[in-house]
Amino acid sequence: MLWARPTTRRPCFVRLRATVDSSPVRLVVARCQVDYAGRLTAHLPMATRVLMIKADGSVLVHSDGGSYKPLNWMSPPCTLREGTTEDGQVEWTVTSKTDDTLRILIEEIHHESTHELGIDPGLQKDGVEKHLQELLAEHPATLSPGLTLVRREFPTAIGPVDLMCRDADGHAVAVEIKRRGEIDGVEQLTRYLELLNRDPLLAPVRGIFAAQEIKPQARVLASDRGIACAVVDYDALRGLDDPSHRLF
């Protein structure tokens, strides 16, 4: 696609909507510099990158390597202003509702296109939290010897605990289940435990944080909070683990 530099320096203003509608996704491959200012500051020097404006209002900056995650981004709702600098370079200024700013200075555009993606049916995964919860409810002892199920989705004032169990000594154990165990999940279980331990009929209640994969930072936080971690073997729970494939 051919691109011509704008002949006017007067910026145009585009309001990005926070809801997904029929707006097309816009992809731009450009040599650009990116500066973020907000709770922290970040700078990306001039290089060729992929800029994405999604229909939900988010603006993302991707590179060709390093990770599937964007190098920088702005979540909706936000406002995109497209204009030119005094020396004629194209400039995007993206501002969030909290006044964080993402400034993208474009030196050259190699490609630009828009695409109507339509309604997405959503990602369907094998081994999501609901399936893990169902399997662990059937086999709670895989988390800790002697553990038995009391109830799934045990209610609290801030939401249900995935599993409420009893250990071999009859003490209450709250289990929070995630596909990928991160710090947020540990914080969530911490809040549940704080509420549950206020109930004299349940206290003392200890916690188990269960996931197929647990990040090191989450393990450290869980240990600090007195919460046990359990890595879940999903295939073994489903009975798909073949012992003949094991070395030991």
Side-chain angles (χ1 to χ4, degrees):
M1 176 178 289
L2 297 178
W3 172 76
R5 190 179 302 280
T7 57
T8 176
R9 294 181 181 178
R10 184 178 181 181
C12 61
F13 299 90
V14 179
R15 177 66 180 176
L16 298 180
R17 286 166 288 186
T19 58
V20 178
D21 55 17
S22 58
S23 301
V25 171
R26 181 180 174 190
L27 296 175
V28 178
V29 179
R31 181 171 171 79
C32 61
Q33 172 184 302
V34 183
D35 290 279
Y36 173 83
R39 290 164 294 179
L40 50 82
T41 59
H43 172 73
L44 295 172
M46 194 68 70
T48 301
R49 300 184 177 91
V50 177
L51 309 176
M52 180 186 298
I53 305 173
K54 296 173 63 179
D56 65 1
S58 53
V59 179
L60 304 96
V61 181
H62 286 273
S63 68
D64 191 36
S67 174
Y68 62 90
K69 294 182 179 180
L71 296 171
N72 218 322
W73 68 93
M74 191 71 78
S75 301
C78 57
T79 302
L80 170 63
R81 297 179 176 88
E82 300 184 58
T84 55
T85 63
E86 292 183 357
D87 58 1
Q89 284 190 303
V90 175
E91 182 180 55
W92 294 3
T93 303
V94 188
T95 307
S96 73
K97 63 180 180 180
T98 57
D99 292 329
D100 290 3
T101 301
L102 191 66
R103 179 175 176 266
I104 304 173
L105 186 64
I106 298 175
E107 183 178 85
E108 181 181 4
I109 292 181
H110 302 294
H111 170 83
E112 180 171 0
S113 60
T114 57
H115 306 271
E116 293 280 359
L117 301 186
I119 298 175
D120 191 280
L123 180 64
Q124 297 179 354
K125 297 179 181 179
D126 185 22
V128 293
E129 294 167 20
K130 180 181 178 181
H131 295 158
L132 288 173
Q133 184 188 121
E134 292 171 352
L135 291 166
L136 288 172
E138 295 175 2
H139 309 283
T142 58
L143 295 172
S144 179
L147 205 66
T148 57
L149 178 69
V150 174
R151 177 177 172 175
R152 287 178 56 190
E153 301 288 341
F154 189 88
T156 76
I158 58 173
V161 178
D162 289 332
L163 302 180
M164 179 59 73
C165 300
R166 293 280 181 184
D167 62 19
D169 297 322
H171 295 144
V173 180
V175 181
E176 183 63 26
I177 303 166
K178 300 292 183 185
R179 193 176 66 86
R180 176 181 296 174
E182 299 184 356
I183 286 176
D184 288 349
V186 178
E187 293 284 9
Q188 182 180 356
L189 180 53
T190 300
R191 293 191 292 271
Y192 288 149
L193 290 172
E194 183 180 352
L195 285 175
L196 292 169
N197 275 299
R198 295 178 188 175
D199 187 341
L201 299 178
L202 290 174
V205 185
R206 65 183 179 91
I208 296 179
F209 186 53
Q212 289 180 273
E213 173 192 1
I214 300 178
K215 297 293 185 179
Q217 299 91 332
R219 285 185 176 276
V220 171
L221 182 61
S223 177
D224 182 69
R225 302 283 173 81
I227 294 172
C229 289
V231 176
V232 179
D233 187 333
Y234 182 60
D235 285 342
L237 283 173
R238 293 193 304 173
L240 298 180
D241 185 29
D242 187 353
S244 66
H245 293 166
R246 299 177 184 171
L247 295 177
F248 305 99

